[in-house]
Amino acid sequence: MKKVMTIVLAAAFALSATVVIAKSVKCVVDAVEGDKITMTCKKADKLEVGDKVKVKKAKKKALEGC
């Protein structure tokens, strides 16, 4: 029973790992005009016309002092 469960979990992990591979590029917003955003991105050649992208704001790091 443990062998069967191990095989099932390994197969599920392998399938999910191949499906959920996402491209990641870092961008800087240059302009915002209504609902259109112009960005300059590093490694933008990874993207193609028609790709759906998810944009999230970078977290600001807290400065700690003495």
Side-chain angles (χ1 to χ4, degrees):
M1 186 65 176
K2 286 185 179 181
K3 288 183 181 182
V4 173
M5 185 62 88
T6 303
I7 292 171
V8 169
L9 289 175
F13 177 73
L15 290 174
S16 67
T18 58
V19 172
V20 186
I21 296 175
K23 298 176 185 176
S24 177
V25 292
K26 295 190 182 232
C27 302
V28 175
V29 175
D30 296 329
V32 178
E33 299 173 4
D35 62 344
K36 295 192 182 231
I37 300 172
T38 306
M39 298 187 290
T40 303
C41 301
K42 294 180 181 180
K43 300 181 183 178
D45 57 335
K46 290 183 177 181
L47 301 173
E48 297 177 9
V49 175
D51 283 349
K52 291 185 179 185
V53 295
K54 181 177 180 182
V55 179
K56 63 181 180 178
K57 187 175 178 181
K59 295 179 183 177
K60 292 186 179 183
K61 296 182 180 177
L63 296 175
E64 295 184 20
C66 297

